[in-house]
Amino acid sequence: MLLITCPHCGPRDEVEFHYGGQAHVAYPEDPQALDDAAWAHFLFYRDNPAGAFAERWQHSAGCRKWFDVVRDTVTYEFLTPEGGSR
Amino acid sequence: MTADQTTADQASAPPADLRRSPAAHLTEQMRAGDVDGPRGVRLREIPFAVQLGIRAEPGAPSGRAAAEAWGVGLPAGPRAGETVTGDPEGRHVIWISPDEFLAVEPSGLAGLIDVRGIEGALDGMPGQIVDLSGNRTILELTGPSARSVLEKGCHVDLHPRAFPAGAAASTLLGPVQAIVHRTREDVFRILPRASFADYTVRWLLDGMAEFAGEELIR
Ligand SMILES: [Zn+2]
């Protein structure tokens, strides 16, 4: 089980968290202007790097806040110090 | 007697007589599950505590107004080593998140609190105070084995160096989301949501049962 450091609560077990996928995926500025392919790309297409990956987590069983971290997808090591940012 | 009079009589009846706490139907099982002695552990429900959800930032005007209305300052949070303020036997406040707190009054004086008045303390300001008394109940686990029972499925480190008396955390107990509040060295309060009270009591009673027998491995 991963030990994830919540920026507000400190280190907690992974089961207290909800995974939120890739971070920094911006909502389209003008969603009406997107065709189906572009909309599908926004909804479903994500990076899949072997290495550093910026992702979102929510401390769902604790403070319920969302926060961003950078995690190495090969070693599972959290690269952001202090559990990342809000 | 007219229908109007009947309605008026019902409205003036004390509502406490009609209330059933979420674990009231397990009172007998909890008493039967008590274990005495050096490995002792006891479970009881503290019903009908007043609980108010506070959404406000501690340093902001609404945070100060909420603290003043409740009469207890808001805790600074786990990063500052302060997750509970006030008197655990009276009015206290549990830290939930940087802008969320649970104000609790578990004593017999709870019925005297002007809940509506306190809810109105943030009128016109950002944030809110809401009566959440029905959201969670309080289960109190007491005794030398209380920590061992919780450690069967609690996801925070309950060693006193990490979780001393006066600490609280929102976490999981088994699969149940709950607030765990250590009021004294061997007294833990567990606050599950009301609909999980039945399951949580049975989970704790199951965890307590082994301590009634002989210790097999020392
Ligand atoms: Zn947290």
Side-chain angles (χ1 to χ4, degrees):
Chain A
M1 189 182 294
L2 296 175
L3 190 62
I4 301 172
T5 302
C6 168
H8 310 293
C9 305
R12 297 291 193 89
D13 282 355
E14 180 186 355
V15 288
E16 292 188 7
F17 294 84
H18 172 77
Y19 183 61
Q22 184 174 356
H24 315 305
V25 178
Y27 193 77
E29 290 232 345
D30 184 8
Q32 306 289 339
L34 268 56
D35 62 15
D36 286 354
W39 184 247
H41 201 273
F42 160 68
L43 283 183
F44 304 118
Y45 283 60
R46 296 293 181 264
D47 297 338
N48 185 25
F53 186 47
E55 59 190 13
R56 311 189 71 214
W57 288 84
Q58 188 205 15
H59 192 190
S60 46
C63 65
R64 303 192 295 174
K65 296 292 186 190
W66 285 94
F67 57 96
D68 297 343
V69 297
V70 176
R71 184 177 61 96
D72 190 312
T73 59
V74 177
T75 64
Y76 292 90
E77 185 186 354
F78 285 82
L79 303 172
T80 10
E82 279 297 291
S85 62
R86 295 192 203 191
Chain B
M1 187 185 279
T2 67
D4 278 355
Q5 279 172 323
T6 310
T7 310
D9 288 347
Q10 284 167 350
S12 63
D17 296 340
L18 299 173
R19 293 193 297 181
R20 294 288 179 274
S21 65
H25 61 295
L26 295 171
T27 304
E28 284 307 311
Q29 282 98 319
M30 283 191 267
R31 200 166 297 157
D34 281 350
V35 179
D36 295 321
R39 302 176 76 213
V41 57
R42 292 168 170 271
L43 180 63
R44 66 162 181 143
E45 182 185 26
I46 304 174
F48 309 132
V50 162
Q51 298 171 67
L52 301 175
I54 299 173
R55 298 302 303 255
E57 292 194 14
S62 43
R64 288 195 293 272
E68 192 179 326
W70 185 244
V72 177
L74 305 178
R79 289 289 183 178
E82 183 183 67
T83 45
V84 182
T85 48
D87 172 14
E89 308 308 328
R91 291 195 191 199
H92 56 284
V93 181
I94 299 174
W95 185 92
I96 305 288
S97 93
D99 55 6
E100 184 174 4
F101 304 85
L102 188 67
V104 184
E105 161 61 90
S107 80
L109 298 173
L112 302 176
I113 293 175
D114 175 18
V115 170
R116 295 291 164 263
I118 295 171
E119 281 183 317
L122 298 192
D123 270 357
M125 285 189 254
Q128 60 179 9
I129 302 177
V130 179
D131 184 6
L132 297 179
S133 302
N135 183 31
R136 297 177 188 269
T137 192
I138 302 178
L139 306 172
E140 192 168 72
L141 193 67
T142 310
S145 294
R147 178 179 150 202
S148 298
V149 171
L150 285 180
E151 281 176 340
K152 294 182 180 194
C154 184
H155 282 276
V156 292
D157 180 2
L158 297 178
H159 192 283
R161 84 179 151 244
F163 199 77
S170 298
T171 182
L172 293 171
L173 185 63
V176 176
Q177 200 282 332
I179 299 166
V180 178
H181 176 192
R182 187 176 208 164
T183 58
R184 294 202 296 275
E185 174 72 25
D186 60 356
V187 180
F188 293 86
R189 290 196 187 140
I190 301 118
L191 287 74
R193 292 194 175 93
S195 55
F196 288 91
D198 177 278
Y199 178 91
T200 307
V201 168
R202 294 177 195 278
W203 190 95
L204 289 166
L205 288 171
D206 186 51
M208 290 160 64
E210 71 161 285
F211 297 98
E214 289 291 310
E215 191 171 9
L216 295 179
I217 302 169
R218 284 172 205 275

